[in-house]
Structures are given as structure tokens and as C-alpha cells.
Amino acid sequence: MDAAPQIRLTELAHGGGCGCKLAPSVLQNLLAGQAMAAPFSQLLVGTESSDDAAVWQVNDEIAIIATTDFFMPMVDDARDFGRIAATNAISDVYAMGGKPVMALAILGIPVNKLDPAVVREILAGGASVCAEAGIPVAGGHSIDCPEPVYGLAVIGIIHPSKVRRNTGARAGDALILTKGIGVGIYSAAIKKGVLPDGAYDEMIASTTLLNRVGAELAEDPAVHGITDVTGFGVLGHGLEMARGSGVALRIAADAIPLLSRAGELAQAGHVTGASHRNWDSYGAGVELPPGLPDWHRALLTDPQTSGGLLVACAPEAADAVLARIAAAGYPLARRIGSAEAGAPRVVVT
């Protein structure tokens, strides 16, 4: 008797990775009118901004960072799915400048459709990344779910004075991006079975590269603001930084680092629906240069899963900060623009 055909993880999900995130405009509408957390004096970072995690001050020396992130599979390899999701979740702690200390697993599985061995591989992949980050998976919660979902709730610590937010950019600051763009485009190509040879390994190397350099950068007073670039694309997360900081960001389109096949795949039309939703959500907050091709715009709006850090630092320190990031193991890190005084927006040149 022939064995039943193996089900692909991506076939069970209507979307994958951070491309599953609600569009910025939809999220803003849903959160409108929600009570703010302002009455709690120890809550250093809450819902008042679009930061990557919440921060609670315990005493003069310690603050706790708390975050959660989960999504549906963007790849069919179960262990890789777990690794990507865990790396992505832990990134929020690093983006605040903190050190992760433990994680809790979040798991939703269609129990009648997935072999338990596949689920174990997802969990093993996530645990392997947590081990690399030096933290335990100390518990979690699971449900029977129509689509496979996996992620982590992560707790970190930091000195209160070293918290880095996406609201900290200053006029004159240099902007540095630590990873290449194109994960969403690669994911779209995977779904269609057209991802070129070697590109999958490149994507996995990027999406499982921990953003631990964020904790190092928080030690540098010349680094004023940090956020990670995920589902809203480099323009969307740049716009959040601009609005939170009260500055304009000027980004050079040709300076943005790309995964090696991202440009040709974008030109061939392998773009996610989330990329279009992102663009529709930015409104007047983003200005593009005349004649920018649609495929190039798609790169700027491409949803990143476990993307890099967008760093705002003093211009005189930019070369040293960039060299430090590259030396820490981020070969595609590039200086992509600057912050300037003006109405909060992102101007692409």
C-alpha cells in the first residue's frame, strides 16, 4: 500500500511568517480607543508607541522586557520553521537593547493533519535557537488550531538607562540596517516553487541569525534608537521610528542591502500580498522618488520575517558602529540614510 503523501506545512497556512501580520492601518484601527497603560509609573515602555516590546522597571538597576511573537509557517521544513519563529521572537528583546533570559512556547497545531514527529521538529528547532541565545524554554501553551502556529513569549532584562526605543532617533543621526531585505519575496517564490538554487540556504542563514548585536549597541551612548524590521517592511518600521522620534528619515533606495536574488525575483513578480497591504497603509507618510519601478517599491515594502535591526546613531560614530556590527557577524549591514528635522515621514531618494 502506498504511503499517504506528506503534507507541506505551507499548504496548511493561508499566509506565512511576518507576512501574516495585520497591516499597519488595520492594526491602528483595531487599537483605536483602547485604554493606555500610562497610570503605571514603572512601565517605561507600553502601548503609547509602536515599540518592539514592553519594559517594566523593577528597581534602579533592573528593568524587565516582555514580548511575544508567533506566526504560521513560511517554509516546509519543520525544524527551520521553529528556528525562524524563535529567532524572530527573541529579536524584540535585542531590539530594545536587552538580554533575553527565558522563553515560553506558543503552539497551535491541527492535530489531525500533522504527524507528531513534525510537531516535535518544530519545537526542537525553536529550542535550538533558544539554546544558542543562552536561554531555556521554560514552559508554554498549546491548542488544537486549524493552521499551524508557533512562536515564543520572551522575557529579557536590561538596565533602565540603556533601553533603546524606536522613538530615540535624532535629527542628524545616521541610519544603519543590519540584514538584507527580501525574505517575503523569497517566501513568495517558495510557495510557487521557483526559488533559485542556493537561495533557500541564504534565507535560512539570515532569518536564523540572532540580533544579539542589539544588546551590544545599547552599551554605546552614540546609539540613540533601535527597532527591528519585520512585517511592515523597511518603510513601515522606518515610518514608525520617524513618527515616534518626531523626525523625518531620508533613505537611499539603492543603499538598502538585499538578499542576492531579491531584485530579480521582485522584477519577476514574486511579491507577497502583505507587501501591497503595507504600501496601502503608509499613506502620505512615505515619499518615493518619481519613476521608481513597482518592483523596487515592492522591495521597500517587503515584509521581513526575522529581519535586521534599524539603528539610529550619531553621525560621527556611524563608521565605528557599522564596523562593530559587521564584525559581530552581519555581513550585509549597510548605512542606508539619515534622520533630519521635519515633519515625521520617510523620504526615499
Side-chain angles (χ1 to χ4, degrees):
M1 182 175 181
D2 294 336
Q6 186 172 358
I7 298 175
R8 296 175 59 192
L9 281 175
T10 53
E11 290 177 348
L12 296 174
H14 74 277
C18 286
C20 299
K21 289 178 69 170
L22 296 176
S25 59
V26 175
L27 182 61
Q28 185 177 19
N29 183 50
L30 292 175
L31 295 178
Q34 296 294 314
M36 302 296 284
F40 299 91
S41 61
Q42 289 170 278
L43 186 63
L44 302 185
V45 183
T47 57
E48 72 284 350
S49 63
S50 300
D51 258 304
D52 297 295
V55 181
W56 181 272
Q57 184 169 351
V58 177
N59 54 41
D60 291 343
E61 300 296 322
I62 297 176
I64 294 172
I65 302 171
T67 184
T68 183
D69 214 317
F70 53 89
F71 46 64
M72 291 166 284
M74 54 182 286
V75 296
D76 291 312
D77 184 280
R79 183 174 288 260
D80 285 345
F81 170 39
R83 293 171 65 208
I84 294 167
T87 307
N88 179 75
I90 297 170
S91 177
D92 286 340
V93 172
Y94 291 133
M96 303 301 294
K99 175 184 177 182
V101 294
M102 73 172 181
L104 304 174
I106 299 166
L107 179 68
I109 289 297
V111 293
N112 293 326
K113 295 181 181 179
L114 278 184
D115 189 306
V118 174
V119 181
R120 286 194 290 270
E121 281 294 288
I122 295 171
L123 296 174
S128 71
V129 166
C130 289
E132 183 182 348
I135 65 173
V137 179
H141 185 67
S142 59
I143 62 170
D144 186 0
C145 187
E147 297 179 282
V149 173
Y150 176 70
L152 301 174
V154 188
I155 301 299
I157 57 173
I158 192 171
H159 191 284
S161 68
K162 294 178 180 177
V163 175
R164 293 296 186 270
R165 306 185 59 179
N166 68 359
T167 61
R170 306 175 188 177
D173 276 356
L175 300 175
I176 295 170
L177 184 61
T178 64
K179 288 186 184 181
I181 295 295
V183 175
I185 287 167
Y186 275 35
S187 299
I190 288 174
K191 281 255 186 183
K192 297 173 184 176
V194 296
L195 189 68
D197 291 343
Y200 181 82
D201 290 342
E202 179 191 23
M203 184 185 77
I204 296 301
S206 179
T207 54
T208 61
L209 175 61
L210 287 163
N211 280 325
R212 65 171 86 237
V213 72
E216 299 176 26
L217 296 176
E219 300 288 335
D220 188 344
V223 175
H224 301 145
I226 306 175
T227 191
D228 63 350
V229 175
T230 54
F232 299 158
V234 67
L235 292 187
H237 291 284
L239 185 57
E240 288 183 337
M241 177 176 278
R243 288 171 172 167
S245 304
V247 297
L249 301 189
R250 187 170 294 273
I251 293 176
D254 291 339
I256 294 175
L258 303 177
L259 299 181
S260 64
R261 312 300 290 269
E264 66 184 82
L265 288 169
Q267 290 183 64
H270 302 298
V271 177
T272 69
S275 180
H276 300 301
R277 294 193 296 273
N278 281 341
W279 174 248
D280 291 340
S281 295
Y282 302 155
V286 173
E287 300 176 19
L288 299 179
L292 186 74
D294 287 346
W295 66 264
H296 203 153
R297 188 193 75 185
L299 290 168
L300 305 181
T301 63
D302 188 51
Q304 302 309 289
T305 301
S306 192
L309 300 177
L310 179 61
V311 180
C313 68
E316 65 274 12
D319 289 344
V321 171
L322 182 58
R324 182 177 185 178
I325 293 169
Y330 304 83
L332 291 184
R334 298 289 186 275
R335 184 171 177 172
I336 65 168
S338 61
E340 58 187 37
R345 65 196 192 284
V346 177
V347 180
V348 179
T349 60

